[in-house]
Every structure is written in C-alpha cells, then in structure tokens.
Amino acid sequence: MKKLLSVFLCLVIIFPLSTSALAAEPEMTLEQTVEFTALSFMQKSLDESIEISETTPFYDLENNITAYHITFRLHDTPAGYVLISLLHPETPIVEFAFEGSGLVETILKRQTNIDTRSSPTNKIYFLGDGELYISYPNASFQNVYTAQTVTTQKLTEYYQEILSSSPMPINSVDIRAGILDWAKASIDQKSIVKIPNFGVGTDYWLLDDFYENANVCAPTCATNILWYWGIQRGYHWVVQVGTQSGKTLATSIFNTMSSYMKTVPSLGTADFMIPRAYKEFMGYRGSNFTLTSLTQNKYSDFTSAVDAGLPVHTMLRNTSAHSVGHDVMTLGYGKSTNGTQYLFVMDGWEDYGRFVIFNYYPIIKGISVEVGPTSK
C-alpha cells in the first residue's frame, strides 16, 4: 500500500488535484486518504522529504476504525507522528509531533511493565478525548493515559453513553472529504512559541522515573515545573533538599508533591488538590512565587503565560463521570495555517513534546507557576 500511495503522490505532484477531485477518486481508500493528508501536513510543516514509516488503525469496541496513528522517518530516523481522529472530521489532526517514534511504540514499551497475569492484546482502542485503551483476555481494559483498569461491561456502558451524545460519523465519503480539507494545511512555523531550552538532557523527568504503570501524571508534571524553576532557572531555594541533586532530588520533589496532592497511584489526583500542593511545597521554603488559575478553556490565557515564560500545569479533562484525563506541562503553542489552535506539551511519557489541539478535550484547566530568584 505504501508503494501505491507513493505512486499516487507522484501523480499529484505532476497533475495537481483539488481536494474535491481527490474525494471523488474511487481508488482512494479511507486509509490512503488519511496517509495522504498526514504526509502532506508533515512535509509542508517541516519542508523536508519526510516519509511514512507505519500506519496503525485504532478501534472502538465494535471494531470500527476510529483513528489512524501515522509515524514518520527522515533519513531512517524517527521523525514524529500524526494522530488523525475519525471522530473529529472537522479538525481531524488532533495531535502530532515532529520528533520521536509516536504513541504506539510508547504504549508497547509501557505494556512490558503491566500486570504479568495476562498479556494485553495488540489492538489499541480510541474512544475520543482521553479515551485510549489496551485490552486484556481477562475481560478488562486499561486506559493508556491514566493506567486505570475498567471491566469490559463498564467500558461498554460508557461507550454507549458516548455514542448517544455524539454518534460516530458513519459516512466514509463525508469523513474522507473532511480529512482531505486538511491536505493543504500545515503548522504555521511563525506562530510557534516555546519556553526556550526546556526538556533538554536530564532536565525532564518521565512518569516511569518515579512510579511504573500508575496514574501519577499530576505530581510528575509538578516535579518538572519545579525542576524548571529550581534547576534550569537556577532558583535553587524552591527545590533545595539538603545536598540532594539529580534523580535523588527529583524523587524527593515527586514524593513530597504526591503526598501534598494526596495522589493515589491507582486512581490519580483530585484537581482541587493541585494548587494546594504547590502552595504548601513552595510556601514552606519562601514566599516569592505566584500561582495563577487560568480561565478554563481560554486559549489566550495559556498563550499569555507562555509568552511570559511561565510553564503551565495543564489538566486535560473530558466530561465523563470518572473524569478521564491527563496532566501535562504546557511550554508552548502554535497554530495551523487554517487557524486551528494547538498547545505544545510534555506529558511524562517521552522526553519530546507534542502538539495537542486545544479543543480536543472539552475541559482544559491550567495553573501558571512563576518563581522569583530569591525566597523573599
């Protein structure tokens, strides 16, 4: 299929087609449409001869394909990924990265540390924002983001709720047309703003550095934000614990923040505990800090914080009864050439960042953290 797609792309270069013409092309399957759009988006964004490495479909509980995960390579080096959601046909590119091997490899690596009583199946399930699962033969599913386990019956009931409130698009022609509308889009490089030099070398800590296969994204995010101010910016007062340094110091920060947040590894962290934990941690050491709760779902609040050089503890949440979501550190933002807004985040899985569409999760909360050079 990759060879057929390459031939098709060559023809497109020689004889340019409109997206409407492409949508009418009978030989273009949905997967080929997705690959064409993802490849076009990445090539235009990077201005490089990037190539598709692998395409992986994600499914719902009825074995319908709900998303495609496409990875890329440049000169035989992993060069990022694009996640195209069929549940969001108007804004299908819900997240992407320009480096790393993508979500599938990360999921496979994490599976090696998961409950050895039964091995997970190879299929990955995508049910929408924050709803990425792997399944087990013992009739259970595990949320990739939170590591929480749910029975097949419970997840099926929840999925039916999702379908009743937001039915999955079933017209493949309409889905293809919506995806192809993005074939001309790319990231607007001039719009990208990032806090400089963050996430370099050992200056970023992963979830598994502290606690394998558990829902500890909130204290991990906080550890990285405090590390940024205390180590990268040199404001040592905010993180100093005796003569500790390196991972020993990072682990102390993580453990203390976990305690202050009252994090339960199997369940996660209550949102209201997060600002309290920052105040307790930093207030014990000094008073020269400011925590600002950003307006929920207001993109300009997040971009203003980044413009001021302030990392944001970001809570991505959906509206389910169990409030599935993920805590990430926002350190940048950008827009596509068609005006779609993205946050640039580091999520504790890998030491590279990814762009996540701002309205992908219906609830987006944030706390910007500012620290002064001295304790008072």
Side-chain angles (χ1 to χ4, degrees):
M1 184 178 65
K2 300 296 186 296
K3 291 182 179 178
L4 290 174
L5 182 64
S6 298
V7 172
F8 182 85
L9 289 176
C10 290
L11 291 174
V12 170
I13 293 171
I14 298 172
F15 304 107
L17 299 176
S18 68
T19 55
S20 60
L22 285 169
E25 174 60 48
E27 286 77 21
M28 280 281 280
T29 65
L30 178 57
E31 183 167 323
Q32 288 173 329
T33 301
V34 166
E35 290 182 321
F36 174 82
T37 299
L39 183 61
S40 175
F41 182 88
M42 293 292 278
Q43 287 182 335
K44 290 176 180 176
S45 295
L46 296 175
D47 195 24
E48 294 273 8
S49 298
I50 199 169
E51 298 177 336
I52 291 176
S53 179
E54 185 175 7
T55 299
T56 304
F58 292 170
Y59 299 86
D60 69 4
L61 300 181
E62 298 174 353
N63 287 321
N64 298 305
I65 295 176
T66 52
Y68 284 95
H69 178 272
I70 305 98
T71 56
F72 298 88
R73 64 179 181 273
L74 181 63
H75 309 308
D76 294 324
T77 300
Y81 73 95
V82 169
L83 179 62
I84 290 187
S85 169
L86 305 187
L87 305 179
H88 304 79
E90 294 183 357
T91 53
I93 299 181
V94 292
E95 65 177 78
F96 61 93
F98 294 132
E99 55 185 326
S101 301
L103 296 173
V104 173
E105 181 169 309
T106 300
I107 292 169
L108 293 176
K109 285 193 300 184
R110 288 173 64 83
Q111 284 180 358
T112 62
N113 298 321
I114 291 174
D115 189 349
T116 57
R117 290 173 295 178
S118 59
S119 299
T121 63
N122 292 327
K123 190 173 288 186
I124 298 172
Y125 297 84
F126 175 82
L127 308 182
D129 47 281
E131 304 288 355
L132 194 62
Y133 294 88
I134 52 177
S135 67
Y136 289 85
N138 62 354
S140 67
F141 289 79
Q142 185 180 57
N143 187 292
V144 171
Y145 296 106
T146 66
Q148 290 178 303
T149 299
V150 61
T151 65
T152 300
Q153 180 180 350
K154 289 291 185 183
L155 190 59
T156 300
E157 292 172 358
Y158 172 56
Y159 182 56
Q160 292 304 317
E161 292 178 13
I162 294 176
L163 291 180
S164 64
S165 61
S166 180
M168 176 182 171
I170 58 175
N171 189 324
S172 62
V173 174
D174 290 343
I175 292 174
R176 287 168 59 198
I179 291 171
L180 280 169
D181 283 343
W182 279 66
K184 296 180 181 180
S186 63
I187 194 70
D188 181 358
Q189 293 291 344
K190 294 180 180 179
S191 74
I192 296 176
V193 177
K194 296 179 185 177
I195 295 175
N197 301 321
F198 188 85
V200 178
T202 58
D203 286 325
Y204 186 71
W205 302 97
L206 304 180
L207 294 162
D208 291 343
D209 286 330
F210 307 119
Y211 211 118
E212 290 185 349
N213 191 40
N215 190 2
V216 293
C217 55
T220 302
C221 177
T223 299
N224 280 306
I225 288 178
L226 292 167
W227 192 267
Y228 165 76
W229 286 111
I231 304 302
Q232 286 198 285
R233 294 292 295 271
Y235 304 164
H236 299 290
W237 69 268
V238 77
V239 296
Q240 191 166 1
V241 180
T243 60
Q244 291 182 2
S245 62
K247 187 175 181 180
T248 301
L249 174 59
T251 302
S252 291
I253 298 170
F254 172 85
N255 289 337
T256 303
M257 288 300 285
S258 295
S259 176
Y260 288 160
M261 289 181 178
K262 300 190 184 305
T263 298
V264 179
S266 61
L267 298 175
T269 305
D271 291 351
F272 73 89
M273 293 302 301
I274 292 172
R276 293 185 183 184
Y278 277 105
K279 289 177 183 177
E280 195 164 356
F281 185 95
M282 293 189 288
Y284 176 78
R285 292 164 171 76
S287 58
N288 196 4
F289 64 89
T290 302
L291 300 172
T292 303
S293 293
L294 308 186
T295 304
Q296 182 174 306
N297 290 63
K298 188 175 181 181
Y299 186 67
S300 61
D301 273 19
F302 288 79
T303 59
S304 295
V306 172
D307 288 341
L310 308 180
V312 179
H313 187 126
T314 303
M315 293 158 272
L316 306 174
R317 302 286 185 265
N318 66 21
T319 54
S320 69
H322 51 289
S323 188
V324 173
H326 193 37
D327 284 29
V328 299
M329 196 193 82
T330 296
L331 66 148
Y333 63 87
K335 292 183 180 181
S336 68
T337 51
N338 59 10
T340 304
Q341 300 168 333
Y342 292 89
L343 295 180
F344 185 74
V345 305
M346 297 190 78
D347 61 7
W349 280 11
E350 300 289 351
D351 58 358
Y352 59 83
R354 59 190 175 104
F355 287 90
V356 178
I357 197 168
F358 186 70
N359 62 354
Y360 179 32
Y361 286 77
I363 299 173
I364 304 176
K365 306 175 185 179
I367 301 169
S368 67
V369 183
E370 182 175 13
V371 175
T374 59
S375 60
K376 292 182 179 181

